[in-house]
Amino acid sequence: MILGIGSDLIDIRRIEKTLTRFGERFTNRVFTEVERAKSDRRAERAASYAKRFAAKEACSKALGTGLRMGIAWREMGVVNLPSGKPTVALTGGAAERLIAMTPEGFVARVDLTITDDFPLAQAFVVITAWPADWPEAPNPD
């Protein structure tokens, strides 16, 4: 069952300007260490950060909170599964919100797709719940 859906579209040039103006002050406030390491290695650094920013916005919408109600930027981190598929790892208030919205006897799954085509970056998040006793894991690789 679908628990939440969120999408976000952002102008990469906006992130580029923010990176120029605020640098590490911005990246340390919004992104996890894993996200910073990955984005800082990219030739298209601003596009990488923009996709992750859009993913956080989309995830907060799918959680039904936006960036309020105890949800912080770094509690939502874009990570890749062993297959390379992106997802969002949740900690703190974001993880607590996911637990609260997941029906008893179900396991939550966060699916993410991110893309960019200059000057835009886009993310789409779907949070689903799967019966805990289903024979296959909800995140197969």
Side-chain angles (χ1 to χ4, degrees):
M1 85 178 66
I2 295 175
L3 300 178
I5 298 173
S7 68
D8 194 64
L9 183 68
I10 188 165
D11 191 320
I12 295 167
R13 296 169 295 194
R14 177 178 162 213
I15 296 297
E16 219 165 26
K17 288 177 186 174
T18 304
L19 287 168
T20 300
R21 183 170 180 196
F22 297 105
E24 285 185 5
R25 191 167 127 211
F26 168 65
T27 58
N28 289 338
R29 179 175 164 252
V30 175
F31 301 97
T32 66
E33 188 176 322
V34 170
E35 290 174 308
R36 292 190 310 268
K38 190 161 200 146
S39 293
D40 287 340
R41 287 193 310 262
R42 301 278 191 229
E44 299 296 328
R45 182 173 178 251
S48 181
Y49 275 117
K51 287 187 285 190
R52 284 157 179 73
F53 189 91
K56 291 168 185 286
E57 288 276 2
C59 186
S60 71
K61 292 171 186 175
L63 288 169
T65 63
L67 286 158
R68 58 185 177 85
M69 296 174 55
I71 308 293
W73 289 108
R74 288 186 300 160
E75 294 176 346
M76 301 171 286
V78 176
V79 296
N80 295 89
L81 299 173
S83 65
K85 177 183 171 184
T87 189
V88 182
L90 304 177
T91 61
E96 290 171 14
R97 171 66 183 149
L98 181 62
I99 291 166
M101 65 191 287
T102 304
E104 191 172 325
F106 284 77
V107 175
R109 172 177 162 172
V110 180
D111 286 302
L112 165 67
T113 184
I114 51 178
T115 191
D116 68 283
D117 188 6
F118 191 84
L120 301 174
Q122 180 182 28
F124 191 77
V125 171
V126 178
I127 300 174
T128 54
W130 299 78
D133 60 355
W134 273 24
E136 293 192 32
N139 278 322
D141 272 335

